[in-house]
Amino acid sequence: MSEAVVRTRAWDPPHMEVLHELGAAEHALRAAVEARLPAPMSFTHFEVLRDFLRFGDGTAPAEIASRLRMSRGAVTHLLQRMETLGWIRLAGDDRDGRRKQVFMTPEGAEKARAATAALRPGTDRLKTDLNDNYLREGLAFLRDLRRSLEALSAGDGPAGSHPGSR
């Protein structure tokens, strides 16, 4: 696959170029991951399984939705599909019978391990192409940008307190 040609205009302000690059990077990430996932796993299936690997299971669907920045309805539908595939199990919460908890099944754990293994060559290349120090330097910017965008989506407007805004 050839590298996509990214066209910018000399008069585009930096914030617009950053937003364009983020969109292009997100699209490239999804395409790279989906091309390597074992069938019938989708990118969103992988996100849920990866969430379990990072934070453990036994969590409520609403917490998954919040962490993955998805609507509760989308997560409910996704979890129903994953339960049908045998990758997760939905159970009632022992402390609050109205709530559900989500648990990864052994088959789901195996799918998560297989997906992670399939992605390893790409993540290894990323670490080679962009060393850890360079990636860490970019994290501060990305976190500040995410917080600013979250504030905008919540209707709070620009915060103006980020280091780069002084």
Side-chain angles (χ1 to χ4, degrees):
M1 179 187 284
S2 65
E3 184 177 322
V5 175
V6 177
R7 298 185 196 282
T8 59
R9 299 176 309 184
W11 60 87
D12 281 344
H15 70 282
M16 293 305 294
E17 288 191 52
V18 166
L19 295 177
H20 172 77
E21 288 297 331
L22 285 173
E26 196 259 346
H27 180 76
L29 170 66
R30 282 181 173 270
V33 169
E34 286 180 340
R36 290 160 181 80
L37 291 176
M41 188 180 293
S42 70
F43 185 82
T44 51
H45 291 140
F46 176 68
E47 283 186 304
V48 171
L49 294 175
R50 187 186 61 183
D51 186 75
F52 290 146
L53 294 176
R54 289 183 71 204
F55 299 105
D57 60 3
T59 189
E63 293 174 50
I64 295 168
S66 177
R67 280 198 297 259
L68 297 181
R69 291 164 177 77
M70 295 173 67
S71 72
R72 288 183 184 192
V75 167
T76 297
H77 179 70
L78 179 64
L79 294 177
Q80 289 169 346
R81 289 188 356 238
M82 292 178 75
E83 187 175 38
T84 300
L85 291 166
W87 299 347
I88 61 150
R89 177 178 57 84
L90 293 168
D93 187 330
D94 292 337
R95 294 167 289 174
D96 182 349
R98 298 170 295 174
R99 292 179 47 168
K100 296 257 189 226
Q101 289 181 294
V102 185
F103 298 91
M104 186 164 42
T105 65
E107 185 179 345
E110 178 56 37
K111 284 287 186 183
R113 284 191 294 275
T116 301
L119 296 174
R120 190 160 292 118
T123 58
D124 287 348
R125 180 174 172 191
L126 180 66
K127 290 189 311 188
T128 300
D129 290 352
L130 307 169
N131 70 56
D132 285 348
N133 288 334
Y134 187 66
L135 292 169
R136 280 190 194 97
E137 289 171 8
L139 279 175
F141 166 74
L142 290 172
R143 286 183 178 133
D144 284 346
L145 179 62
R146 176 185 45 82
R147 288 180 189 120
S148 182
L149 293 171
E150 286 173 346
L152 283 173
S153 68
D156 296 341
S161 63
H162 298 297
S165 64
R166 289 180 215 165

